[in-house]
C-alpha cells in the first residue's frame, strides 16, 4: 500500500521500484501474463471518494516514468485508453467456483449434498419439524396418573369409566388401585395395576398416558418411564399447569380425539394399505417431542456410573445446608469451560426453561428448540450470565478435590444426593424424548401457557396523546 501525499487517497496494490536513470515507475502488482498498459498521470486533487475495492473491472494500471525531482501520483483517468485490458466478464473468462460437498449429521446419521459452483449453501429444512402420531391400529391400553390425595377422586372415576366404555384397558399405580379400585367390582374387569418391580415394562404395553393434575404429575410420569415413554395428554387440575393445556371440562371429546385421531398434516400422505381403519388412517394427534437429558453420576475413582437419571426439567447442583459457595468445575466434551462459584448451577431443558431456570434469570425457550440451558444460581461474579448451548453438547460438572464442602444434586426435584470431592455428573441429550399431545399446535400451546400462567408481556396499554382531534406538525409531540 502507498499513500499519495498530493491527493490523500489510498492507492491499493501499488509499489515503487527504482529504474535506470534515476526515475521511478509506479505499476500495479499484476500477474506476469498480463502486459502493462500505460495510463496518464494527473497532478490534481481528486475530491471524489476512492473507488470501492476490488474494482468492478479488473484492469492492470501502469504509470510511465517521470522525473525524479517531480513527485508522481497514479490516478485513474476518466478517459479509457484504447489499449486498456478487456473486462473478463465480457469475455466469459471469470473462473468458476469450485464445487464442494456439504455433509450434514445429527450425530446418528449422515447425508451428503453436492454444491456446484453456481449453487449456494442453504437450509434443506428447518431443524425442527411438526410431529403427528397416527395409530396403525386402535389403541388398547391407557395408563392414568392422578395427583396424590383424594382431591381428584371424582374426576379420576369419571375418566376411568369413560375409557372403559371405549373398550380400553386401564392401568393405574398400585397405591391408586388399592385405594379406589380394589373394592369396586364395576371397575375390576378392565382396570389393572402392576408390581413395583415391573415398572420398567410399562412402556412395552401402554399406548398413551392420561395425567390428571398439574406439572408435578407430568414430572412424575417422566420419572416413572425413565427411558421410553408413550404419548401423554395432561388435563389441568393442578395449581399452575404450564404443561397441562387441556381443560377437564372437555375431557370426553379430547380423549376421543386421541383414540380416533383428529388432525392431519396436509404436506404428508401415505398409503392406507395394511391399516385396520383405512378411513381414518391419516388422522392422528399433534405432539411435541420434549427433550430430556440423560444424567450419569460418577463417584470418585470410578469409571462406571453409579446412577443414571433422565430429567424433563433440570438438573441442579447446589450447596445444600453449607454456608460456603459451591466450587464446581465445568467441562464440555473434556474441554475446561469455567469454575462455578455460586450457590449452585443448573442444566435445564427447553421445557425446564420456564421452571427453576427462569426464576434464576435464564431465558424462556420454546420446547422445540434443540438446546440446553446453563444457568448459575446467585453467582459470585457480575459477568457470569446464563448461556444456551446446542443440544449435542456434553457437559461434565465436577467437584474438585480442593472444594471446601460437598455439594448436593437433584434430578427434577427428586433423588437428591450428596456429591463429595472428586465426584462428577455427566449430562447429555437423551435419546428418549417425552411426547406431549398438543391442544392446538406446537407454538400456540406454548404462548397460551405464557399468557395463562405468567401473564407474559402483560401491561396496561399506553393511552393516546390526544383524545378527539389528532394534532399535526410540532403540536403532535408536545
Amino acid at each position: 500500500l502507498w499513500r499519495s501525499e498530493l491527493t490523500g487517497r489510498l492507492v491499493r496494490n501499488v509499489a515503487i521500484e527504482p529504474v535506470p536513470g534515476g526515475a521511478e515507475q509506479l505499476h500495479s502488482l499484476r500477474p506476469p501474463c498480463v502486459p502493462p498498459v500505460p495510463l496518464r498521470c494527473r497532478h490534481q486533487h481528486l475530491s471524489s471518494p476512492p473507488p470501492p475495492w476490488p474494482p468492478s473491472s479488473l484492469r492492470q494500471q501502469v504509470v510511465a516514468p517521470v522525473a525524479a525531482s517531480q513527485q508522481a501520483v497514479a490516478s485513474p483517468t476518466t478517459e479509457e485508453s484504447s489499449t486498456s485490458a478487456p473486462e473478463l466478464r465480457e469475455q466469459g473468462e471469470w473462473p468458476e467456483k469450485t464445487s464442494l460437498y456439504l455433509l450434514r449429521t445429527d450425530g446418528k446419521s449422515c447425508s451428503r449434498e453436492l454444491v456446484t459452483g453456481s449453487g449456494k449453501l442453504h437450509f434443506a429444512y428447518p431443524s425442527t419439524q411438526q410431529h403427528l402420531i397416527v395409530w396403525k391400529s386402535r389403541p388398547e391400553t391407557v395408563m392414568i396418573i392422578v395427583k396424590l390425595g383424594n382431591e381428584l377422586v371424582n374426576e379420576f372415576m369419571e375418566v376411568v369409566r369413560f375409557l372403559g366404555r371405549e373398550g380400553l384397558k386401564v392401568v393405574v399405580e398400585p397405591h391408586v388401585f388399592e385405594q379406589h379400585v380394589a373394592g369396586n367390582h364395576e371397575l375390576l374387569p378392565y382396570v389393572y395395576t402392576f408390581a413395583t418391580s415391573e415398572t420398567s415394562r410399562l412402556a412395552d404395553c401402554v399406548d398413551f398416558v392420561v395425567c390428571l393434575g398439574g406439572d408435578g404429575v407430568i414430572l412424575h410420569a417422566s420419572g416413572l418411564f425413565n427411558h421410553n415413554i408413550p404419548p401423554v395428554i395432561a388435563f389441568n387440575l393442578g395449581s399452575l399447569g404450564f404443561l397441562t393445556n387441556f381443560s377437564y371440562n372437555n375431557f370426553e371429546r379430547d380423549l376421543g380425539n386421541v383414540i380416533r385421531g383428529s388432525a392431519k398434516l396436509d404436506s404428508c400422505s401415505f398409503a392406507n394399505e395394511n391399516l385396520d381403519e383405512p378411513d381414518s388412517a391419516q388422522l392422528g394427534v399433534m405432539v411435541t417431542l420434549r427433550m430430556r437429558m440423560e444424567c450419569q453420576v460418577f463417584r470418585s475413582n470410578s469409571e462406571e456410573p453409579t446412577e443414571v437419571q433422565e430429567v424433563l426439567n433440570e438438573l441442579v447442583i447446589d450447596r445444600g445446608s453449607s454456608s460456603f459457595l459451591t466450587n464446581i468445575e465445568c467441562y464440555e466434551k473434556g474441554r475446561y469451560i469455567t469454575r462455578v462459584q455460586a450457590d449452585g448451577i443448573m442444566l435445564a431443558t427447553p421445557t425446564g426453561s420456564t421452571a427453576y431456570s427462569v426464576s434464576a434469570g435464564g431465558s424462556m425457550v420454546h420446547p422445540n428448540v434443540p438446546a440446553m440451558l446453563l444457568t448459575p444460581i446467585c453467582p459470585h461474579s457480575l459477568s457470569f450470565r446464563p448461556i444456551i448451548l446446542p443440544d449435542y453438547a456434553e457437559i461434565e460438572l465436577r467437584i474438585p478435590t480442593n472444594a471446601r464442602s460437598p455439594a448436593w444434586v437433584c434430578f427434577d426435584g427428586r433423588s437428591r444426593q450428596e456429591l463429595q470431592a472428586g465426584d462428577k455428573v455427566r449430562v447429555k441429550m437423551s435419546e428418549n424424548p417425552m411426547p406431549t399431545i398438543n391442544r392446538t399446535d406446537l407454538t400456540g400451546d406454548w404462548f397460551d401457557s405464557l399468557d395463562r400462567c405468567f401473564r407474559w408481556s402483560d401491561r396496561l396499554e399506553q393511552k393516546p396523546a390526544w383524545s378527539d382531534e389528532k394534532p399535526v406538525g410540532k403540536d403532535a409531540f408536545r
Side-chain angles (χ1 to χ4, degrees):
L1 298 178
W2 177 72
R3 182 177 293 278
S4 167
E5 296 180 357
L6 294 179
T7 64
R9 294 178 56 190
L10 182 64
V11 183
R12 299 175 183 265
N13 287 353
V14 174
I16 305 178
E17 294 182 358
V19 297
E24 292 178 343
Q25 180 179 1
L26 295 176
H27 67 86
S28 63
L29 299 177
R30 65 185 186 279
C33 60
V34 181
V37 179
L39 295 178
R40 302 177 183 177
C41 290
R42 296 179 181 269
H43 298 277
Q44 61 182 10
H45 179 73
L46 299 180
S47 58
S48 61
W53 187 263
S56 59
S57 59
L58 302 178
R59 301 188 181 93
Q60 307 301 324
Q61 302 176 359
V62 177
V63 180
V66 295
S69 61
Q70 198 175 21
Q71 187 172 7
V73 178
S75 174
T77 63
T78 57
E79 302 177 4
E80 293 189 3
S81 173
S82 59
T83 59
S84 61
E87 294 187 2
L88 295 177
R89 185 182 298 276
E90 295 178 357
Q91 295 186 359
E93 298 180 3
W94 281 94
E96 294 184 358
K97 288 173 58 178
T98 301
S99 300
L100 54 86
Y101 287 105
L102 176 63
L103 302 181
R104 303 180 191 266
T105 179
D106 55 4
K108 303 296 181 183
S109 60
C110 182
S111 63
R112 186 179 72 172
E113 302 174 21
L114 175 63
V115 181
T116 61
S118 59
K120 62 180 181 180
L121 299 177
H122 67 281
F123 286 112
Y125 43 79
S127 59
T128 56
Q129 299 90 37
Q130 296 181 350
H131 300 93
L132 180 75
I133 290 181
V134 180
W135 305 113
K136 186 177 179 181
S137 59
R138 198 173 190 272
E140 299 179 356
T141 306
V142 57
M143 182 174 184
I144 300 179
I145 301 178
V146 64
K147 182 180 177 180
L148 290 176
N150 298 324
E151 179 183 353
L152 302 178
V153 173
N154 294 333
E155 291 81 358
F156 167 74
M157 289 297 183
E158 290 180 355
V159 173
V160 170
R161 292 188 177 97
F162 171 78
L163 294 174
R165 292 193 299 269
E166 290 290 332
L168 274 70
K169 300 175 182 178
V170 179
V171 179
V172 298
E173 295 182 85
H175 70 276
V176 176
F177 187 89
E178 292 296 332
Q179 294 178 7
H180 307 300
V181 179
N184 193 328
H185 298 285
E186 176 192 358
L187 305 180
L188 286 177
Y190 57 87
V191 179
Y192 303 85
T193 188
F194 55 92
T196 306
S197 59
E198 298 177 335
T199 303
S200 59
R201 300 181 56 187
L202 287 175
D204 299 331
C205 61
V206 174
D207 293 316
F208 68 95
V209 178
V210 177
C211 290
L212 303 177
D215 294 340
V217 179
I218 295 184
L219 293 178
H220 176 64
S222 176
L224 198 62
F225 296 85
N226 198 26
H227 297 290
N228 185 29
I229 180 172
V232 176
I233 179 171
F235 292 95
N236 188 3
L237 293 170
S239 302
L240 187 65
F242 191 91
L243 304 178
T244 55
N245 294 292
F246 287 88
S247 172
Y248 178 77
N249 297 330
N250 303 316
F251 80 91
E252 292 186 359
R253 181 198 65 188
D254 294 331
L255 288 178
N257 291 338
V258 173
I259 297 171
R260 287 175 284 275
S262 61
K264 66 178 180 178
L265 295 177
D266 296 333
S267 59
C268 295
S269 62
F270 50 86
N272 293 334
E273 299 92 11
N274 300 325
L275 294 176
D276 295 341
E277 298 183 13
D279 295 337
S280 61
Q282 293 186 359
L283 294 179
V285 288
M286 300 293 298
V287 297
T288 298
L289 298 183
R290 297 183 179 272
M291 167 187 161
R292 296 196 291 178
M293 295 187 304
E294 179 183 304
C295 309
Q296 299 177 335
V297 180
F298 292 82
R299 296 302 177 181
S300 178
N301 300 324
S302 175
E303 297 296 332
E304 297 295 330
T306 59
E307 185 175 356
V308 179
Q309 293 277 350
E310 295 205 2
V311 298
L312 178 63
N313 270 0
E314 72 276 310
L315 167 137
V316 179
I317 299 180
D318 56 52
R319 60 187 176 93
S321 60
S322 173
S323 59
F324 295 108
L325 293 174
T326 57
N327 188 356
I328 306 171
E329 295 176 349
C330 185
Y331 298 83
E332 199 280 322
K333 291 184 178 179
R335 178 182 179 274
Y336 176 78
I337 298 179
T338 186
R339 182 182 296 270
V340 179
Q341 298 182 92
D343 279 355
I345 188 75
M346 78 177 73
L347 280 170
T349 65
T351 297
S353 67
T354 50
Y356 194 1
S357 178
V358 73
S359 302
S363 298
M364 293 189 293
V365 182
H366 189 276
N368 250 39
V369 176
M372 297 171 60
L373 289 80
L374 180 67
T375 307
I377 305 173
C378 297
H380 196 250
S381 171
L382 296 178
S383 60
F384 197 173
R385 292 293 180 263
I387 60 175
I388 300 177
L389 302 170
D391 58 351
Y392 58 80
E394 297 180 6
I395 304 299
E396 180 179 302
L397 302 175
R398 183 185 304 171
I399 309 299
T401 56
N402 60 352
R404 291 188 176 184
S405 62
W408 290 81
V409 60
C410 64
F411 311 91
D412 277 345
R414 65 180 190 274
S415 300
R416 186 171 175 84
Q417 53 192 280
E418 191 177 40
L419 295 178
Q420 296 289 342
D423 295 347
K424 56 190 176 184
V425 181
R426 292 177 182 171
V427 185
K428 64 179 181 179
M429 182 186 72
S430 171
E431 297 180 352
N432 308 302
M434 182 175 188
T436 56
I437 298 175
N438 299 324
R439 183 176 61 88
T440 56
D441 54 49
L442 303 180
T443 305
D445 287 0
W446 192 64
F447 278 110
D448 288 345
S449 295
L450 288 180
D451 179 64
R452 173 171 51 86
C453 300
F454 294 160
R455 298 291 186 263
W456 178 68
S457 190
D458 189 13
R459 181 191 183 276
L460 293 177
E461 185 177 355
Q462 187 179 28
K463 295 182 179 179
W466 49 86
S467 56
D468 298 330
E469 184 178 355
K470 180 180 178 181
V472 295
K474 296 182 180 180
D475 294 337
F477 301 99
R478 292 182 178 177

